[in-house]
Amino acid sequence: MKIAILPGDGIGTEIMAEAVKVLKALNLPLEMETALVGGAAYEAHGHPLPESTLNLAKSADAVLFGAVGDWKYDKLERHLRPEQAILGLRKHMGLFANFRPAICYEQLVGASSLKPELIAGLDILIIRELTGDIYFGTPRGRRTATDGLFPGTEEAFDTMRYSRPEIERIAHVAFQAARKRNKKVTSVDKNNVLETSQLWKDVMVEIGQQYPDVELEHMLVDNAAMQLVKAPKKFDVLVTGNMFGDILSDEASMLTGSIGMLPSASLNSKNQGLYEPSHGSAPDIAGKGIANPLATILSAAMMLRFSLNQEAAAQRIEAAVQTVLQQGLRTADIYSEGTTKVSTSQMGDAVVKALAA
Ligand code: IPM
Ligand code: MG
């Protein structure tokens, strides 16, 4: 089983080192090959997603990805910015289905900014369409002179676009996922304003008819943002487009106390996948050894489950993470009084130790 390891920028290298440690401790026949991506690749090769990195990713059974980005690249032309690496991987590998679970660990109920009773036992799954929408719409966004409201000045546009097949396939993914859970899908859009959203909703209704055992509800995105903090446990599977999914998944992750805990999977139609923590590269804390590696470690577990067919190994990792939380070990982002603050590598070591136990 070949895994492409792409640590990226900022805390990416630190958290990836811990995930690799954990994978090695499993004693599985895993072949791991590392490559540069994002700002790190730009520095070395002049491009955030070099051919060699893309080819490695495509040839692997799965990709484990850290994080990319740093404010210092904000002035680069857009196609050279670190974020283009992850967008390029999604596009070129056809990773259209993004799974972002938001699970509240019992031991971390106190770490959330919401009242414990709102989030205790929370387990929702956001399914974000990942290769369409305003992120990839043609004509490509650009800046132009305007003849609009303020003629003679400058304007910019991006194109929000969805085709029926793109919506159909993500709808199937959502309904099938719901079947394995609590059989409820909330489809989130903005059909009161946007034509793309009206098509989204219509297709969701149509595909939903093939899944009569799954309840389908529709919610406007602004309301969904509100309901997520008002009554998050009413959600089971939330399916939405690329842009809304980007925003709502960050919001949902924070319900659980720390974005540092949440893994994600991005899959294509061949079940090839890219696995990454839901958080970013956090340049402000990079190099300090304080980042939480658990989201990346849990992403490795998702990778074993979805792309490598190693359910038992995935469960071992998840159990080990539960154990270290139970032991009271916490990185700074989830620390609270009465628990033990540990560094990034101490957390990784603790997971490895718990695996052995
Ligand atoms: C995410 C990130 C990316 C996105 C960025 C880094 C391009 O925010 O994975 O949610 O917007 O999709
Ligand atoms: Mg995001």
Side-chain angles (χ1 to χ4, degrees), residues 137-160:
T138 48
R140 296 299 304 140
R142 61 188 168 88
R143 286 159 85 134
T144 60
T146 180
D147 52 5
L149 195 52
F150 297 98
T153 62
E154 199 186 19
E155 71 174 21
F157 69 86
D158 297 278
T159 312
M160 184 176 267

Side-chain angles (χ1 to χ4, degrees), residues 276-289:
E276 59 174 325
S278 281
H279 60 72
S281 55
D284 52 329
I285 60 161
K288 296 188 177 158

Side-chain angles (χ1 to χ4, degrees), residues 36 77 258 330 344:
L36 294 176
E77 279 177 70
S258 173
R330 305 280 188 274
T344 308

